[in-house]
Amino acid sequence: MKDEKILVVRTEDVYEEFGKFEGFLKTSLEELLDFLKRCGFFRDRLEAEYDESTKQIIPYVVILDGRKVLLTKRTTKQSEKRLHNLYSLGIGGHAREEDGNTPQEAFLKGLEREMNEEAEVELKELEFLGLINSSSTEVSKVHLGALFVGKGKFVSMKEKELFEWHLVEFDELGKYLGVMEGWSKIAANVLLNLFRPRN
């Protein structure tokens, strides 16, 4: 894990702004960007990873290709050993200080950079759904997810040594819940409720 300055907010500010929620909270992108403008700052990642007084803001994008969803599996070559060999729905990562001149710009540019680094996707639509917060693991306690859905055509993963990947039929998504990392379970349930066809 390399040392870099990443976008964080104080945990107490998150709960004061959005309530002490667990799981998913629907909110708007405008509300999040306003919060980052007021409360976001940059901190050394090596400190932030093990300090629950702040939360690292992670853009987390689920890719939908028609009725298929991108499911990835982290390999042992990834730096975050605590997430090895778990399935993930989201593409994303830390927003860095060099991504933008302000916290909100760094968040948006970091989102774009992370997507471009990790996957090749012909994106047609990007929709923000809300926030993911979980206190279930040591990793999730120090992160706050910003959940997006990206609709378009998935081409391939770029970081092939870091990920295995599959395009899974949306209706089959529930079968993978037991082998997903925590945020992905939360995101999967949100998507299943939002995008499952109504009878």
Side-chain angles (χ1 to χ4, degrees):
M1 188 182 299
K2 63 182 179 179
D3 197 13
E4 55 189 352
K5 286 194 177 294
I6 54 169
L7 179 60
V8 302
V9 291
R10 290 183 177 83
T11 303
E12 62 183 30
D13 289 340
V14 174
Y15 294 149
E16 185 173 321
E17 183 82 12
F18 299 105
K20 195 168 185 179
F21 70 98
E22 185 76 11
F24 175 74
L25 178 71
K26 183 174 176 57
T27 187
S28 70
L29 184 58
E30 290 74 22
E31 288 176 292
L32 175 58
L33 293 176
D34 178 67
F35 175 62
L36 293 178
K37 181 179 180 179
R38 291 181 283 111
C39 300
F41 62 101
F42 297 94
R43 186 180 185 192
D44 289 339
R45 182 177 177 183
L46 292 177
E47 295 178 0
E49 287 289 356
Y50 301 97
D51 183 355
E52 295 176 24
S53 71
T54 61
K55 285 184 174 287
Q56 303 158 58
I57 307 294
I58 306 294
Y60 196 73
V61 184
V62 178
I63 302 298
L64 284 182
D65 184 337
R67 290 296 297 173
K68 293 185 177 182
V69 61
L70 176 63
L71 191 65
T72 64
K73 185 178 180 181
R74 301 170 186 272
T75 71
T76 55
K77 292 187 178 180
Q78 285 211 14
S79 61
E80 181 49 89
K81 291 182 173 59
R82 295 172 292 184
L83 298 177
H84 285 172
N85 294 318
L86 292 174
Y87 282 95
S88 176
L89 274 182
I91 290 175
H94 297 86
R96 302 172 187 156
E97 188 173 40
E98 62 265 28
D99 284 327
N101 295 319
T102 64
Q104 62 271 33
E105 182 184 11
F107 172 79
L108 293 171
K109 295 284 182 64
L111 162 65
E112 183 179 354
R113 174 184 50 75
E114 284 286 344
M115 283 197 65
N116 289 333
E117 285 177 356
E118 292 188 14
E120 185 178 351
V121 182
E122 296 171 5
L123 202 60
K124 296 178 181 176
E125 182 184 341
L126 187 63
E127 179 185 358
F128 178 69
L129 299 181
L131 299 174
I132 294 176
N133 184 61
S134 172
S135 58
S136 62
T137 69
E138 295 304 310
V139 179
S140 63
K141 285 177 182 177
V142 295
H143 295 84
L144 184 69
L147 179 61
F148 292 82
V149 170
K151 297 178 182 178
K153 180 173 177 53
F154 171 75
V155 180
S156 71
M157 296 298 292
K158 292 182 179 177
E159 297 177 324
K160 292 180 171 60
E161 73 282 1
L162 299 181
F163 295 99
E164 299 171 13
W165 69 92
H166 314 273
L167 279 176
V168 177
E169 291 289 341
F170 188 84
D171 295 336
E172 303 290 308
L173 192 56
K175 296 180 180 179
Y176 290 87
L177 288 173
V179 289
M180 285 183 186
E181 59 191 38
W183 278 12
S184 293
K185 291 179 183 178
I186 295 169
N189 282 313
V190 172
L191 264 68
L192 287 168
N193 286 327
L194 281 178
F195 296 110
R196 179 178 280 148
R198 306 297 183 196
N199 293 328

